[in-house]
Amino acid sequence: MISLTCTDIPREGANGRFVEINTEVAEHYGIVNGSPIKIKGGKTTVAIVQCQPNLDPDIISMGSTIRINAKVREGDEVEIAAINAAPMEAAVIAPVARDLTEAEIEMLGSLNLDVYLSKLDHFISYINGEPIEFQIMKCKPSHGWLTSATNCKISSKKSRKATIEVPSISFEDIGGLDDTIEDIKEIAIVPLVHPEVYIKSGQEPPKGILLYGPPGVGKTLLAKALAREAQCKFITISGPEIISARYGDSEKAVREIFQQAKKEAPAVIYIDEIDAIAGNRKDSRGELEKRILTQLLIELDGFEDRGQVLVVGSTNMMETIDPALLRAGRFDRRIHVPYPDIHGREQILGIHSRNMPLEAIELGEWAKKTVGCSGADLANLCRHASSQAIKRTFGLQRLINPDNFTDEELSELKITEQDFECGFENFTPWATSQRRPAAIGRVEFDDVIGHQSAKNELIEHLVQPINHPEIYHSLGLSASGGILLHGPPGTGKTMLGKAAASLANVQFMAVSGPDFLSKWVGESERAVREIFQRAEELAPVVLFFDEFDAIGRARSNSESAHHSSSVVAQLLTMMDGLKSSDGIYLMASTNKPELVDEAFLRPGRFSKSIEVGPLSKELYGEFFQKSTEKVNSEISELEWADCISQMKDKATGAELQGFVDSLKRITARRCIEENTQVCLKREDLIKTFSEYRTLNSGGYQPEQIIIEENWEQEEVDDWDNDEDDDWVVP
């Protein structure tokens, strides 16, 4: 037997499939990679070994499910030994947490579990992407491979003999929140597992933890995984369950929940959407809600020792929580649960697609495309892609046919890139469905023509410090306090901001200056605070202020000096309160930089100013080519060049895009009239040039553009003699 210390296993080792030990240790004791071993802790269990050359020789890494089976926690010692592999001939399994439907049992029976287990062991299987915890009630022999070949009887009723009644969700099922999980382990799990450490130090362990962040980021999952990791009972409180019309019943329900938790200790009480029952009493709340809050405060204070009971609350409306709930001794710790970054999104997509028959799907690319998506959004994307694949593969008629699918038919189901594309089009992330400013999709620098100098400066002052923080921190540098883009309207300032955010793999949140302004006293200042709070939820994020001169106007020049001064002061306060760790990067744009208050331009605020001017005529051709590359065209480069030669110099991107849009509308009109396929033609270009006067050089005549020898003069004459002449601007 070998004595090793338990640690958590990397995410790929989730759900009780295997443990990891050092390769040299395994070889020394005759343990073969991929073979089963016996693990003896508080209970004896089995698992499959994977040998890792870089693992500490005194360590055995195992996921939460195997730790539960062995009745050990991180830091405990276990003994291991090699055993002979055996198939499991027969087994009786039962769900731990809830009953199963007949349809779920049928789906489970078709899965190849391929896991090595012993009697009374727990394991996780997935039904429609949901992790379901099971327990081996009986098996023959006492340990072995549980596969599709095993004569397996599945009970629909949850096991009454389950040894541990804890959630089936583990930290391995949660992606994109590695830092948050580490905080939870330190703040919550240690006090539950080792309260003696706090007692020895003369301090009480934390009584409550508040998880806050936008909807769908995984707050409830974290609470459940916390309980599982600490091997605690999990008790949920929700508003509808405790609210009663009878006087005193709601308060009684709160008391009974806390009493139950104390009896079942160690236990976690989870209050979902705590703002519903613990909102600020200053607001116009009913008497019932105030009584419930008062009772909750009493229970948190605890007239007697609660023992090993931890209260975890969650909210996406931190600002509405009553301040009394947040003081020391109640919810001692508050943990922000953010939107996942690009690496987190790839992790989450991997978790939700691990049982999907993917075909050549690059999850890393989809992580780039799904900026601004929460974990729930990404799970929804996978469901949409799966549904699309099912409809595409089998067709509606076969799907409504009551006959069961054969294994051969099911093997044809593959989820492709096209299915993900269709799924992506058919769902809306929560963030972008809100009226509040939200994340915006990915834009590349290649999508913005010209402005190379501005691009280089954005890369140097924003992108590189975000992507390589370790280098900049070692030099005492960081991303610029803020970047101000200035130039005429329509030059592409906002597009450059989006592209910089995309290159840095952070979210982009755009707000418009006029959106802040209100005639009501204090409303503009409140709007500023809410914007920064929203940015904190989305962090890491580029917070982009469009038309910044509208809210950052110089106070001395403002017609409404008092109102402007208060807004500017609030904005300066919020900017100065930002820390590099907040993950909020400021950008702004204006076409009137002279109107911006000088206080914004000092170091630490908008310390970098970048000019974004109009385009030179040499770039017009590249712009037109990119704008029309997805449309069939018969317009030659020479014809485009002749057209460009007669346009004014220094046009903005907006002006050039207006010309292209006008060209496409004229083409659409002609195609409808002639009932022909869509194709850009030279006649459409001539008519567009005639009608779109913004880019005229001044002395233009329609005949002047028709000078190339490949343009039929006879055809031109026919156009000139056309009685309708509807394409000539009077």
Side-chain angles (χ1 to χ4, degrees), residues 396-538:
L396 181 59
Q397 191 61 41
R398 180 65 180 92
L399 290 170
I400 63 176
N401 191 319
D403 294 338
N404 292 331
F405 287 93
T406 64
D407 291 342
E408 186 178 353
E409 287 178 312
L410 292 174
S411 66
E412 296 176 0
L413 180 61
K414 301 293 182 185
I415 299 173
T416 66
E417 186 78 16
Q418 181 184 358
D419 298 322
F420 266 83
E421 291 285 358
C422 292
F424 190 65
E425 293 175 359
N426 292 327
F427 98 108
T428 303
W430 178 88
T432 57
S433 69
Q434 305 304 297
R435 291 186 176 183
R436 292 184 295 171
I440 299 176
R442 190 174 182 89
V443 177
E444 306 290 347
F445 268 144
D446 289 344
D447 298 324
V448 185
I449 303 300
H451 308 303
Q452 192 57 53
S453 176
K455 292 176 183 177
N456 292 340
E457 291 197 78
L458 286 171
I459 291 172
E460 180 181 349
H461 293 277
L462 181 74
V463 178
Q464 289 180 342
I466 295 175
N467 289 347
H468 305 284
E470 68 286 347
I471 296 177
Y472 281 77
H473 288 168
S474 67
L475 296 170
L477 299 172
S478 63
S480 298
I483 297 175
L484 181 67
L485 303 177
H486 62 91
T491 51
K493 299 182 291 294
T494 304
M495 287 286 287
L496 284 169
K498 293 180 185 180
S502 295
L503 189 59
N505 289 314
V506 299
Q507 304 189 58
F508 183 85
M509 175 179 167
V511 294
S512 178
D515 294 340
F516 287 86
L517 303 180
S518 173
K519 65 180 181 180
W520 305 109
V521 177
E523 283 298 300
S524 296
E525 295 91 323
R526 182 189 60 81
V528 172
R529 293 192 296 272
E530 287 184 350
I531 289 298
F532 277 83
Q533 180 181 345
R534 175 66 171 152
E536 184 182 359
E537 293 176 355
L538 290 170

Side-chain angles (χ1 to χ4, degrees), residues 448-722:
V448 185
I449 303 300
H451 308 303
Q452 192 57 53
S453 176
K455 292 176 183 177
N456 292 340
E457 291 197 78
L458 286 171
I459 291 172
E460 180 181 349
H461 293 277
L462 181 74
V463 178
Q464 289 180 342
I466 295 175
N467 289 347
H468 305 284
E470 68 286 347
I471 296 177
Y472 281 77
H473 288 168
S474 67
L475 296 170
L477 299 172
S478 63
S480 298
I483 297 175
L484 181 67
L485 303 177
H486 62 91
T491 51
K493 299 182 291 294
T494 304
M495 287 286 287
L496 284 169
K498 293 180 185 180
S502 295
L503 189 59
N505 289 314
V506 299
Q507 304 189 58
F508 183 85
M509 175 179 167
V511 294
S512 178
D515 294 340
F516 287 86
L517 303 180
S518 173
K519 65 180 181 180
W520 305 109
V521 177
E523 283 298 300
S524 296
E525 295 91 323
R526 182 189 60 81
V528 172
R529 293 192 296 272
E530 287 184 350
I531 289 298
F532 277 83
Q533 180 181 345
R534 175 66 171 152
E536 184 182 359
E537 293 176 355
L538 290 170
V541 63
V542 169
L543 177 55
F544 187 94
F545 296 94
D546 199 11
E547 303 177 67
F548 187 70
D549 52 278
I551 59 168
R553 187 178 292 261
R555 287 163 284 188
S556 59
N557 298 330
S558 175
E559 296 178 0
S560 53
H562 178 73
H563 179 72
S564 174
S565 179
S566 62
V567 174
V568 168
Q570 182 66 65
L571 192 55
L572 290 171
T573 300
M574 300 304 298
M575 292 173 66
D576 291 342
L578 293 178
K579 303 185 293 291
S580 58
S581 60
D582 292 336
I584 300 175
Y585 307 99
L586 298 177
M587 294 184 69
S589 70
T590 179
N591 55 8
K592 298 177 181 178
E594 68 278 3
L595 298 183
V596 176
D597 195 291
E598 291 183 359
F600 288 108
L601 305 180
R602 76 161 178 77
R605 292 168 180 170
F606 289 109
S607 51
K608 180 64 181 177
S609 181
I610 300 176
E611 183 178 4
V612 184
L615 297 176
S616 63
K617 191 177 285 190
E618 289 77 15
L619 295 171
Y620 289 11
E622 183 181 351
F623 186 99
F624 291 142
Q625 181 183 5
K626 190 169 189 63
S627 300
T628 60
E629 61 184 357
K630 295 182 180 180
V631 183
N632 291 330
S633 176
E634 294 180 355
I635 303 174
S636 69
E637 293 184 9
L638 198 59
E639 292 162 352
W640 271 117
D642 185 65
C643 176
I644 292 171
S645 68
Q646 300 187 60
M647 291 180 174
K648 72 173 187 178
D649 197 13
K650 302 297 182 182
T652 66
E655 291 175 325
L656 297 175
Q657 187 60 53
F659 182 88
V660 173
D661 292 343
S662 181
L663 171 64
K664 291 178 179 179
R665 282 192 291 270
I666 287 173
T667 299
R669 185 172 64 200
R670 176 184 56 75
C671 292
I672 294 171
E673 292 173 353
E674 299 176 358
N675 192 24
T676 58
Q677 292 184 342
V678 174
C679 182
L680 303 177
K681 295 187 176 183
R682 59 180 182 243
E683 59 189 272
D684 302 323
L685 182 62
I686 295 171
K687 190 173 289 189
T688 303
F689 198 97
S690 177
E691 293 185 358
Y692 199 81
R693 309 296 297 187
T694 306
L695 295 177
N696 274 4
S697 59
Y700 166 77
Q701 298 295 323
E703 295 83 2
Q704 291 179 338
I705 197 173
I706 312 168
I707 61 175
E708 303 298 335
E709 58 183 8
N710 61 332
W711 291 37
E712 299 284 344
Q713 188 62 47
E714 184 179 348
E715 187 177 352
V716 171
D717 294 338
D718 290 339
W719 294 342
D720 289 341
N721 296 327
D722 192 334

Side-chain angles (χ1 to χ4, degrees), residues 161 309 395:
K161 297 181 180 180
V309 177

